Amino acid sequence: MMIKCKEASWLISASLDRPLTLAEQVRLSMHLLMCGNCKNFSQQMAQLRAIARQVGNGE
Ligand SMILES: [Zn+2]
């Protein structure tokens, strides 16, 4: 089952707030394999999250 970029970006954002379900992880990773834009977005979000965690120090 294919998801669109809009859904992929929604899942990426959601993953910052809560753990994704297995079904969501599969759908997202399938999309990221095919979509460079969303892959970049996912990596940027992961980096931002890591930085925010350091700066915020558990806020
Ligand atoms: Zn995409």
Side-chain angles (χ1 to χ4, degrees), residues 2-15:
M2 303 283 284
I3 61 172
K4 295 173 183 171
C5 289
K6 188 177 175 185
E7 293 166 316
S9 61
W10 186 87
L11 285 176
I12 292 165
S13 298
S15 73

Side-chain angles (χ1 to χ4, degrees), residues 43-58:
Q43 289 171 346
Q44 286 172 6
M45 290 297 279
Q47 284 178 346
L48 282 176
R49 187 192 190 189
I51 292 168
R53 192 181 287 161
Q54 287 175 349
V55 173
N57 197 22

Side-chain angles (χ1 to χ4, degrees), residues 5 31 35 38:
C5 289
H31 185 86
C35 183
C38 288

